Amino acid sequence: MNVIDGLWHSTAMLPTYDELLDPLQRLFGAVVMHDHSMPRPEVGRRGGMIWIGDNSMEIGAPLGDVSPVRKFVEKLGGMHSMALRTSDIEATREWVLGHDTEQGVTIGDDVFFTHASGTAGLVLEWSAMQTDDDPRFGFAPPYPKPEAPVAPAVRYGFLTAAVVDPVAAAERLAELMDTEVLRSVSGAGPDRIGAMVSLRDCVLLLHSLPGAEGEWPWSQPPAKPRFHGHGLEVDDLPAALRALDAVGIGPVAELEHAVLLDPTKTPVPTFLCDRLFDEDPRN
């Protein structure tokens, strides 16, 4: 059994739902899978899943005075966590908790979080949940596409995160997920990929926190480990950049063959590329 089957979704949280959804629809062609308001104090969130490229992304905003995500949004906002798919939640729980991690919040019988202290400071969600609006679980009818997105995403390329030690974090995360470290570069500065980890149907890129040699060019430097941004694959990168430039959004930094769009113009830091990294297991 694989501990994980792949990426279930990334998660992003901002003060309002629309400031996440609207640009992701208009710019990259995201479509809504579902949108729920859950005012219960233990949830306190409006949001749900969107389909972008070939994978899902959870977007949300705090709802109610005691929303558990309000503190995160007020202090940080942006990318929050990574959710991983598994076919056997109890076997996954046994494996993960047997490798010096601590279980956090549980959601029903099929979803649990682990404390970030055991996962290189990053928030991870583990899920065997299957929804009837997810194409990966047998949903057949196509979603209605937004009209003429500026630079439509064709594939969810990668996630990025900042950690204290990318090499050690990659080894730890690959152990927990029972996947592979695809790249490991000791001493890489924040402006380079320090490590790359397989998510089976996606990859996670790890950068070192500011303070190491090199500068942090990817947006506001994080003060502690956290998920940072995501990469979307487009059919034609030069054409996509021209289209985005026409609406006032340009690139501000390069990451090998990917470019980071101006993070003041996108809801979360967004890289674009027109091919996967050579190490990506999907190649």
Side-chain angles (χ1 to χ4, degrees):
M1 184 202 83
N2 292 331
V3 173
I4 67 165
D5 298 327
L7 176 68
W8 184 31
H9 60 76
S10 57
T11 298
M13 300 284 182
L14 285 180
T16 68
Y17 176 83
D18 288 341
E19 68 184 301
L20 270 164
L21 176 63
D22 291 350
L24 291 171
Q25 284 184 317
R26 177 174 54 88
L27 297 175
F28 309 118
V31 294
V32 175
M33 298 167 65
H34 57 259
D35 169 17
H36 301 305
S37 292
M38 294 171 281
R40 299 194 312 272
E42 66 271 23
V43 181
R45 178 181 64 83
R46 181 207 167 173
M49 296 293 184
I50 60 173
W51 190 256
I52 184 165
D54 67 345
N55 214 312
S56 61
M57 182 177 184
E58 181 184 25
I59 61 173
L63 184 67
D65 295 335
V66 292
S67 167
V69 301
R70 185 174 297 281
K71 182 178 179 181
F72 168 80
V73 167
E74 291 175 348
K75 187 175 181 181
L76 297 172
M79 298 299 285
H80 173 267
S81 56
M82 176 175 72
L84 302 160
R85 301 191 329 270
T86 178
S87 56
D88 187 332
I89 194 67
E90 291 307 323
T92 295
R93 192 193 319 267
E94 182 179 358
W95 171 272
V96 171
L97 299 186
H99 285 76
D100 298 320
T101 61
E102 183 178 350
Q103 183 169 304
V105 173
T106 62
I107 302 175
D109 295 330
D110 295 325
V111 180
F112 70 94
F113 286 80
T114 43
H115 283 293
S117 59
T119 52
L122 304 176
V123 179
L124 299 188
E125 179 180 354
W126 311 79
S127 173
M129 183 181 294
Q130 295 190 6
T131 60
D132 59 9
D133 56 7
D134 191 316
R136 294 167 296 185
F137 304 133
F139 176 75
Y143 291 115
K145 297 294 184 182
E147 292 187 10
V150 176
V154 297
R155 189 151 49 174
Y156 204 81
F158 54 86
L159 284 169
T160 64
V163 294
V164 174
D165 182 342
V167 170
E171 292 173 354
R172 173 61 173 162
L173 294 172
E175 175 188 37
L176 288 176
M177 298 184 295
D178 193 27
T179 61
E180 296 179 82
V181 176
L182 302 172
R183 187 189 301 186
S184 184
V185 184
S186 297
D191 57 338
R192 298 176 58 201
I193 299 171
M196 183 186 302
V197 184
S198 170
L199 305 177
R200 300 201 187 281
D201 62 356
C202 196
V203 293
L204 173 63
L205 311 183
L206 299 173
H207 298 265
S208 60
L209 286 165
E213 183 180 352
E215 298 181 354
W216 178 265
W218 312 125
S219 65
Q220 184 67 30
K224 62 180 183 179
R226 64 169 297 186
F227 285 99
H228 161 257
H230 62 181
L232 304 175
E233 184 182 354
V234 295
D235 279 329
D236 184 330
L237 182 58
L241 292 177
R242 288 193 297 270
L244 288 162
D245 184 67
V247 297
I249 302 174
V252 296
E254 295 183 358
L255 179 65
E256 299 183 16
H257 61 272
V259 297
L260 175 67
L261 301 176
D262 183 348
T264 67
K265 304 290 182 66
T266 58
V268 295
T270 300
F271 296 83
L272 291 188
C273 60
D274 55 11
R275 67 182 189 276
L276 302 175
F277 288 96
D278 290 342
E279 302 96 327
D280 194 302
R282 292 170 287 181
N283 282 322

